[in-house]
Amino acid sequence: MFSKCFFFISVIFYLTNTGVVALFDPLSMGLAAGAALGLYKFDTLKDNTYCRFAECCNERSIPADIKGLQQDLDEHLFGQHIVKQQLIPALEAHFKEKENSKKPLVISFHGTPGTGKNFVADKIAQRIYEKGSKSKFVRKYMGRGDFPLESDAHLYSARILKDAREAISACPRSLFIFDEVDKMPPMVFESLASLINYNALVDGVDSTQAIFIFLSNTAGVHISDKLGKLIKSGTLRDKTRLSDFEQILEKGAYNLDGGLKKTSLIESHLIDHFIPFLPLEKSHVYKCAQAEFAIWGKTPKDEVVERVVNDYITYDRVHGIFATSGCKKLGKKVAVEAMSPDL
C-alpha cells in the first residue's frame, strides 16, 4: 500500500515539475495525473517518477558497472590472477547477452579462508547494484546460520527454490550468494536445478538473467597442494591457469562434504565456472596490510608493516610458503597499530 501511494505521489511530483499540471489547481491534480497515466507507457512513467526515488529493477538501480568491478579487483585483490581472468569476462558476457541468455550465470568460488572470496562477492554486489549488498535484489545465505540441520535439507531446498522464484519474479536480474557452502547439508540445492537449467521456465519464472554465486572452503587444501607442486616444478605462480585447478574443484565439490556434495547441479553441468582462489604468500599479505593502513589514512614505514605481517602470519606445514589464514582478520591487527600515537 505504501509503495502504491509513493508511486502516485511521485507521479504528481514529476508531472508538476515538468509543467504538465502547472495549469491545474490542487483539486485537479489527481484528475490530471490519472489522465497522464493513459498518455505515457507505464514503464517509462514509472522510471521517471517512482524509480527516481525508490529502487527498481531497471538500469538506474542495476547499472552493472563491470569496468568499475575490474578496477576494484585490480587495486584491492592480491594474488588472484585467475579470478580476474575468469570472472570479469564471465560477467561481461552475461550482461551483454542478457536478452538471449539460455540460463542464469552460476559461479562457484573455492579456496582457503582469507583468500578473497567474500571480498569479491561483496564487490560484485556493490558494482552491479546501486545499493550494493543492501539492495533488495540481493539475497545472501550463510552456511549453518541459515541451514543448521542436515535432517531438514529437504525443507531448506524447498525454501531456497521458493525464495529464488519470488525474487526473480520481482526482478529477473537478482543476485543470490550462498556463503559457507561447505558447512551446508548435502542436497540443499537440489531444487535449484529445475530453475537454473538450460531454457528452464518454472511456473512462468524465467531465471536466465539471474546470477548465483557459491562460496566454499571445499577443495582449498587441494588448491594449495596443486599450486605448491606447480611452483616446485618450476611454474611461476602468475603463469598458472584455470585448467590447472578446474577439475580438482569440480571433483572436490561433488565428493566432499557440503551443500554441493552429489548434487545434480554438478551432475547436469549447471555450474558455469569453478574459480580457484589461490593461497596467499607473504608478499600478498604485505599488500593487504598496506591497504588496511590506507583505510585508516596511514602510510607506515616498511618496518612497521613488516612487523605486523610477521607477528600475524603463520605458514602451512606442507609447503611452508602459504599463509594459513590469508588476509582474514588482518584488519583488526592493523587497527591496533593504526591507533598507536607512535605510528
Side-chain angles (χ1 to χ4, degrees):
M1 183 65 184
F2 173 77
S3 60
K4 290 182 179 178
C5 292
F6 185 36
F7 172 60
F8 181 74
I9 293 170
S10 300
V11 170
I12 297 296
F13 179 83
Y14 173 71
L15 296 177
T16 302
N17 281 274
T18 53
V20 175
V21 296
L23 300 178
F24 289 83
D25 58 50
L27 294 177
S28 303
M29 284 187 176
L31 294 176
L37 287 173
L39 300 175
Y40 289 85
K41 277 185 71 174
F42 176 77
D43 288 344
T44 302
L45 182 59
K46 185 179 179 182
D47 282 346
N48 287 287
T49 55
Y50 174 79
C51 294
R52 292 177 64 183
F53 309 99
E55 186 180 30
C56 293
C57 187
N58 61 12
E59 291 186 1
R60 178 182 286 123
S61 295
I62 311 176
D65 182 11
I66 307 304
K67 288 185 178 179
L69 173 63
Q70 182 170 13
Q71 183 177 349
D72 289 340
L73 301 188
D74 287 341
E75 293 179 358
H76 303 292
L77 182 67
F78 309 115
Q80 304 300 350
H81 65 286
I82 296 177
V83 175
K84 298 173 187 178
Q85 290 171 358
Q86 299 299 318
L87 180 62
I88 298 301
L91 289 169
E92 285 178 336
H94 178 71
F95 282 101
K96 185 176 182 179
E97 65 173 9
K98 63 182 179 182
E99 302 300 331
N100 301 309
S101 177
K102 295 181 179 180
K103 69 181 294 293
L105 178 61
V106 186
I107 306 174
S108 190
F109 292 168
H110 296 263
T112 51
T115 50
K117 300 185 297 296
N118 272 286
F119 172 81
V120 173
D122 288 343
K123 285 297 181 183
I124 290 172
Q126 288 174 21
R127 287 298 187 174
I128 290 180
Y129 301 92
E130 184 181 36
K131 291 191 174 182
S133 298
K134 295 182 180 179
S135 170
K136 63 184 178 182
F137 306 131
V138 176
R139 302 289 183 93
K140 187 169 185 177
Y141 301 83
M142 293 294 296
R144 290 181 185 144
D146 286 303
F147 313 117
L149 302 176
E150 188 168 334
S151 59
D152 287 341
H154 63 293
L155 298 177
Y156 303 144
S157 182
R159 171 192 158 194
I160 290 173
L161 179 61
K162 179 176 181 293
D163 286 355
R165 286 172 54 191
E166 290 177 352
I168 293 172
S169 295
C171 181
R173 288 178 276 184
S174 291
L175 170 64
F176 303 88
I177 300 173
F178 298 93
D179 193 8
E180 297 182 338
V181 171
D182 50 302
K183 296 180 176 63
M184 296 180 184
M187 309 305 289
V188 73
F189 297 119
E190 276 309 283
S191 63
L192 271 183
S194 62
L195 187 65
I196 66 177
N197 213 329
Y198 289 87
N199 298 311
L201 193 66
V202 180
D203 294 334
V205 177
D206 180 2
S207 65
T208 55
Q209 295 184 46
I211 300 175
F212 294 81
I213 301 178
F214 302 95
L215 281 64
S216 176
N217 294 336
T218 301
V221 174
H222 298 75
I223 295 172
S224 298
D225 288 344
K226 180 66 174 182
L227 179 59
K229 291 176 182 177
L230 288 170
I231 292 175
K232 188 175 181 179
S233 67
T235 303
L236 296 176
R237 179 191 178 100
D238 290 346
K239 297 299 181 181
T240 57
R241 300 173 297 175
L242 175 65
S243 58
D244 294 322
F245 303 95
E246 196 166 25
Q247 285 191 353
I248 294 174
L249 302 185
E250 187 170 2
K251 290 180 180 179
Y254 187 75
N255 291 302
L256 299 176
D257 288 341
L260 294 176
K261 184 177 182 179
K262 308 297 182 184
T263 179
S264 57
L265 292 180
I266 298 178
E267 290 175 352
S268 301
H269 307 288
L270 298 180
I271 297 179
D272 303 299
H273 305 281
F274 288 89
I275 298 183
F277 281 69
L278 305 181
L280 301 184
E281 299 173 40
K282 181 178 179 179
S283 61
H284 307 123
V285 179
Y286 192 96
K287 291 179 180 178
C288 287
Q290 288 179 315
E292 291 292 340
F293 275 112
I295 293 174
W296 289 90
K298 306 286 187 178
T299 307
K301 295 179 180 179
D302 290 343
E303 53 263 31
V304 174
V305 180
E306 185 77 20
R307 174 166 51 80
V308 171
V309 170
N310 287 335
D311 289 346
Y312 163 80
I313 197 171
T314 56
Y315 298 97
D316 72 296
R317 295 182 179 180
V318 177
H319 305 285
I321 59 173
F322 302 135
T324 55
S325 56
C327 291
K328 199 176 185 71
K329 299 180 181 179
L330 180 61
K332 296 296 183 181
K333 300 289 185 181
V334 170
V336 174
E337 291 289 336
M339 296 300 292
S340 172
D342 299 327
L343 184 64

